[in-house]
Amino acid sequence: MVPDTTTSPRTGRQELLTALGEIEQRVLWLSAATIDHANRVRPNPTGLKVGGHQASCASMVSIMTTLWFHELTADDRVSVKPHASPALHAVNHLLGELPAEALTTLRSFGGLQSYPSRTKDPDPVDYSTGSVGIGATAPIWGALARRYVEGRFPGAGTGRQYALLGDAELDEGACWEAVQDPMVAGLGEVVWIVDLNRQSLDRVVPALSAERLAGMFEAAGWQVLTLKYGEQLTELFSRPGGEALRTRLDTMGNPEYQRLLRCTPAELRDRLPGTGSTREPLERLVATLDDDALHSAVRNLGGHDLGALLDVYAAIDDTRPTVILAYTVKGRGLHSEGHPQNHSSLLTRDQLADLATRTGADPDDPWRPLPDGAAARLCAERAGELRRPPVERIAPPPVPTDFGRTPGGTGTTQQAFGRALLDLSRSAPEAAARVVTVSPDVSSSTNLGGWLNKVGVWSPTERVDWFADDAETILHWRENPTGQHVELGIAETNLVGLLGELGATWSRWGQPLLPIGIMYDPFVNRALEPWQFGIYAGGQSLLVGTPSGVTLAPEGGAHQSITTPSLGLEQPGCTTWEPAFAQDAEWCVLAALSLLGRPDGGSAYLRLSTRPVDQSLAAVPADPAARERRRRQAVAGAYGLRRAEGTPDVTLAAMGAMVPEALAAADRLASLGVAADVVCVTSPGLLFRATQARRGLDDAPQWVLDQAFPADRAAPLVTLLDGHPHTLAFLGTVHNTPVTPLGVTHFGQSGALDEVYRHHGIDTESVVRAALDLTHRP
């Protein structure tokens, strides 16, 4: 049982509930009117459906009213389910954060977004939502990010992290991956409120069981508070026949219950008693109720009972995560309530007019303010309490561009990444202090061992390292609140969810972090949607995919990535690099870190390899000016690695692990009398933007094209990468030359490196043949 909230610090309980009830009705009206205006009032010359979700808003208005107008503090953050976006804007309007005219812009160009957006909406939005499962889990990672920031750079404060989500959203596996992660059980500030309306987009969910959901949350260590019935039904349960009523409602299937919501009072009197042993006592109980009481009783669920909601908030245990399973009716208060196809239905004009009458609104003046009184005063009071002071943003420390040493011998770009983090801690300790690495249980296999040994693993409390005295232990797992590495379970969606929130601390609390996520490159596809949604929401981070490609030859097709190079090319708000040499990898890592934690910054993706490469092939210039020129070109997207004497017959543009094959092919071609330039491509995305800028379609710098692909050396192109060949095929447009793109187009095979390269046609022999074909040599 939850305790009763008998008083309020502002006013008596009944006066509070009356004011909240008036606000609740206005939120219901404003959300419905906002959607109606977008669809029926605002001109729509194209005739395309605008859309909106009046029913989805209606099921949330009681929960959102009690939260914003009673429960929240200025330190709290709330993620609102996507389809309740108009209800959030209605709340913000009543709090004075959104002018009335903005409510007329829902889903218009430059107006209120279809779903809550931190970066595009004009009013306060704590979390961008829109892809189910991501908005639900974001407050978990937001809580962890806040704790990390507060522990190292105080100022992020405290506060709960709420997620308002629909019950159908719990079908998403991402929710359960997050719920059960070992890092989550101690996050007592996390509160999920599930809008348990038992409907999805197309239907009533036939077998949804709150008891089953409760068991799953409890097994993960969460507090579960179930809010099923409101005050009216609870009172009826105490009357003669009341236990029969409770039993009937508790055992009734979801579709049957939803059908009751569509019944007239006469039909209810026949259907509600059922056919079993409960029929007779229920018929007697129903006979004591007039039509209005009976109509309201069947829909008196806890998620719409303002008093019950206040009570359940008071029962939250802040020592562990909490989920509130709040039973609701989809479309509550609308003519479409409970209908299985009400998801995107719109009220008719007559129905909207009736809603206006019932909520005290005016359809001819839909944005009319609340009349003077307790509700208006409560709105004004809460506006002051919830208003946050402007965030004072701290600029991230400068990141060096070059450590000044040149790697020698044989090495991999993955190894270079690990060394770069250690070198950063020595050369730029202030910047290194802002670095936080995250991995899904792959730290040791992605060359993070040295970094972990130096900075430790982050944990809210210090934990004993029982292997600290083991002489054979190489990786020291020291867990404490000062650690700079966060280790999650093996769930890539959790990693990128946390990465997005760590990358948003600069805008939330003014404290920039330099977050780096590391995962096996083949699994970037698994994490793609939440990763790109985090970028959309303003999170800035560096994602490192390693090892990559069919170069991971013995692992076979299951672990050989193909599409990731083009994914990096296509992702807005992200710069992608795939360096060939350790020196390039160092420069690209530093360039990526310099983009983070700033209003004009962005995210980055590095695709790294475990292929050992002779570093002398990089031919890094010794002269400081020439070295700096090479660095600028490498960071900008490409550089000329080898120039043939005279005019080239062909240009070999290669990326990443395939550059040694291109160099070997150039030597072979030279012996055949074919002059070949070799261009080392480091960023297909930056080169594509440069080509677009030449056509006036982008504002990116173009100079790298002139230096990597000078016009006086334009020749037919062979492009080569360990990934899909279309990634570099556009390079033929730089000078409108013929191009043969080589790469990987089908699932890989296990084998030795030369066998696998030959199988995919990316070996030296294949490059030579392609060049000869282009130059029409015999």
Side-chain angles (χ1 to χ4, degrees):
M1 297 294 292
V2 298
D4 183 29
T5 303
T6 56
T7 60
S8 162
R10 290 177 293 277
T11 184
R13 181 177 174 88
Q14 190 51 53
E15 289 81 356
L16 171 64
L17 293 177
T18 299
L20 287 173
E22 188 176 346
I23 295 171
E24 172 195 41
Q25 292 301 295
R26 186 52 61 97
V27 173
L28 176 63
W29 164 257
L30 287 172
S31 60
T34 297
I35 297 168
D36 181 79
H37 186 95
N39 286 271
R40 292 206 172 99
V41 179
R42 193 171 65 226
N44 182 10
T46 66
L48 292 175
K49 173 187 173 183
V50 176
H53 303 85
Q54 291 174 331
S56 294
C57 290
S59 66
M60 288 294 298
V61 294
S62 307
I63 294 169
M64 295 177 69
T65 297
T66 49
L67 269 180
W68 266 269
F69 296 95
H70 182 269
E71 190 65 20
L72 295 181
T73 71
D75 285 335
D76 297 337
R77 298 289 191 275
V78 188
S79 172
V80 177
K81 74 174 188 178
H83 292 162
S85 172
L88 175 61
H89 298 309
V91 166
N92 282 333
H93 169 65
L94 293 175
L95 291 171
E97 298 285 358
L98 191 68
E101 55 267 24
L103 297 176
T104 67
T105 68
L106 179 70
R107 299 191 173 207
S108 67
F109 186 79
L112 298 177
Q113 299 301 295
S114 304
Y115 310 120
S117 172
R118 287 190 71 228
T119 57
K120 295 180 181 292
D121 276 319
D123 52 331
V125 173
D126 292 331
Y127 289 98
S128 296
T129 61
S131 185
V132 291
I134 296 175
T137 58
I140 289 177
W141 313 123
L144 204 155
R146 186 205 60 77
R147 286 197 181 199
Y148 184 91
V149 169
E150 181 63 19
R152 301 186 66 84
F153 311 104
T158 57
R160 287 176 178 165
Q161 300 277 340
Y162 290 89
L164 309 183
L165 62 151
D167 48 11
E169 199 163 357
L170 292 175
D171 289 345
E172 285 288 342
C175 291
W176 299 107
E177 287 183 344
V179 163
Q180 62 79 45
D181 192 275
M183 273 288 182
V184 174
L187 299 177
E189 63 268 46
V190 171
V191 180
W192 280 15
I193 304 177
V194 180
D195 174 15
L196 203 72
N197 59 45
R198 292 174 277 188
Q199 285 187 236
S200 59
L201 191 150
D202 294 324
R203 60 174 182 161
V204 177
V205 181
L208 179 70
S209 168
E211 292 76 16
R212 178 174 61 86
L213 293 176
M216 294 167 71
F217 278 104
E218 287 171 344
W222 287 49
Q223 178 193 27
V224 179
L225 300 173
T226 301
L227 191 58
K228 189 168 187 180
Y229 300 119
E231 181 179 350
Q232 184 182 3
L233 273 176
T234 302
E235 192 277 327
L236 286 177
F237 295 155
S238 67
R239 297 186 188 183
E243 281 304 313
L245 175 60
R246 183 193 290 271
T247 299
R248 172 83 169 109
L249 292 175
D250 281 346
T251 57
M252 184 182 294
N254 295 334
E256 183 182 4
Y257 172 76
Q258 297 286 118
R259 184 64 185 90
L260 293 181
L261 299 174
R262 309 293 300 169
C263 289
T264 65
E267 292 171 326
L268 272 176
R269 294 182 189 281
D270 177 59
R271 288 177 181 251
L272 180 58
T275 57
S277 60
T278 60
R279 183 169 183 85
E280 185 176 341
L282 272 180
E283 284 181 328
R284 291 195 298 268
L285 176 60
V286 167
T288 67
L289 304 176
D290 62 29
D291 286 353
D292 289 343
L294 181 59
H295 179 271
S296 62
V298 295
R299 49 189 38 78
N300 180 229
L301 300 182
H304 299 298
D305 189 300
L306 302 177
L309 285 163
L310 298 185
D311 293 343
V312 81
Y313 299 152
I316 293 173
D317 175 6
D318 287 321
T319 66
R320 55 181 172 151
T322 295
V323 61
I324 299 172
L325 301 175
Y327 280 76
T328 61
V329 174
K330 192 167 184 177
R332 180 74 160 87
L334 307 180
H335 285 260
S336 61
E337 69 177 2
H339 195 282
Q341 278 88 54
N342 66 7
H343 183 76
S344 58
S345 65
L346 293 172
L347 298 178
T348 67
R349 293 194 181 280
D350 289 342
Q351 290 170 347
L352 191 72
D354 177 66
L355 178 65
T357 300
R358 289 187 286 110
T359 58
D362 182 355
D364 296 324
D365 186 10
W367 325 119
R368 184 181 66 187
L370 283 167
D372 291 340
R377 289 195 297 272
L378 180 57
C379 288
E381 184 178 341
R382 291 298 290 158
E385 293 172 350
L386 294 177
R387 192 159 293 125
R388 298 167 185 157
V391 173
E392 182 181 350
R393 291 175 180 166
I394 297 173
V399 175
T401 59
D402 190 349
F403 292 132
R405 60 175 179 78
T406 303
T410 299
T412 74
T413 54
Q414 180 178 289
Q415 291 169 341
F417 164 69
R419 282 198 304 269
L421 291 182
L422 290 175
D423 286 344
L424 184 70
S425 66
R426 302 183 188 104
S427 301
E430 289 188 7
R434 298 275 173 172
V435 171
V436 52
T437 54
V438 187
S439 71
D441 201 35
V442 294
S443 301
S444 57
S445 57
T446 54
N447 280 89
L448 278 183
W451 169 255
L452 261 67
N453 286 341
K454 182 173 182 61
V455 303
V457 179
W458 182 84
S459 173
T461 58
E462 188 161 0
R463 297 175 181 171
V464 175
D465 179 6
W466 293 104
F467 287 86
D469 59 349
D470 187 329
E472 295 184 9
T473 297
I474 299 175
L475 183 65
H476 300 292
W477 207 257
R478 294 178 287 106
E479 298 179 84
N480 55 66
T482 63
Q484 291 180 243
H485 175 77
V486 181
E487 187 88 357
L488 299 174
I490 306 177
E492 283 79 10
T493 55
N494 286 351
L495 179 142
V496 293
L498 175 56
L499 207 59
E501 292 307 317
L502 290 168
T505 60
W506 67 274
S507 58
R508 289 197 194 282
W509 301 293
Q511 289 288 355
L513 295 176
L514 308 181
I516 305 173
I518 305 96
M519 67 173 67
Y520 288 169
D521 195 67
F523 306 139
V524 167
N525 284 294
R526 184 184 299 173
L528 181 59
E529 186 198 8
W531 173 55
Q532 66 183 11
F533 203 85
I535 295 174
Y536 165 80
Q540 299 175 1
S541 60
L542 168 57
L543 181 64
V544 177
T546 184
S548 63
V550 300
T551 298
L552 196 61
E555 292 283 352
H559 275 188
Q560 295 173 353
S561 54
I562 298 171
T563 62
T564 47
S566 60
L567 294 177
L569 164 70
E570 297 156 7
Q571 176 59 46
C574 176
T575 302
T576 177
W577 283 286
E578 184 170 348
F581 302 106
Q583 184 64 77
D584 298 347
E586 174 195 297
W587 288 335
C588 292
V589 167
L590 296 175
L593 292 177
S594 70
L595 297 174
L596 306 180
R598 43 195 296 171
D600 59 344
S603 293
Y605 162 53
L606 258 68
R607 190 173 188 252
L608 304 180
S609 172
T610 50
R611 182 186 184 183
V613 172
D614 179 0
Q615 297 302 307
S616 67
L617 295 177
V620 178
D623 180 81
R627 177 188 177 94
E628 173 59 14
R629 182 173 183 269
R630 165 70 70 84
R631 185 200 67 80
R632 291 182 68 248
Q633 292 173 341
V635 167
Y639 57 87
L641 180 56
R642 183 182 296 180
R643 300 298 191 194
E645 291 186 12
T647 303
D649 299 305
V650 67
T651 297
L652 310 180
M655 184 167 74
M658 305 312 304
V659 170
E661 273 61 37
L663 291 170
D667 291 338
R668 288 266 301 275
L669 289 168
S671 70
L672 296 173
V674 178
D677 280 357
V678 178
V679 175
C680 181
V681 174
T682 53
S683 176
L686 291 176
L687 294 183
F688 182 75
R689 287 194 62 193
T691 62
Q692 291 290 85
R694 278 192 172 179
R695 296 167 175 81
L697 302 176
D698 202 314
D699 59 357
Q702 306 170 36
W703 62 265
V704 67
L705 296 178
D706 297 326
Q707 295 192 11
F709 301 95
D712 61 353
R713 301 190 70 82
L717 271 166
V718 177
T719 63
L720 178 66
L721 75 153
D722 185 355
H724 199 283
H726 81 81
T727 307
L728 297 180
F730 73 91
L731 289 175
T733 68
V734 174
H735 295 300
N736 295 320
T737 55
V739 59
T740 297
L742 301 181
V744 180
T745 57
H746 49 277
F747 290 117
Q749 298 282 341
S750 297
L753 200 60
D754 58 343
E755 296 173 319
V756 171
Y757 281 180
R758 190 180 311 116
H759 172 72
H760 291 284
I762 55 176
D763 59 327
T764 300
E765 194 83 16
S766 298
V767 178
V768 171
R769 284 199 304 267
L772 292 175
D773 288 342
L774 276 175
T775 57
H776 307 292
R777 297 302 175 96

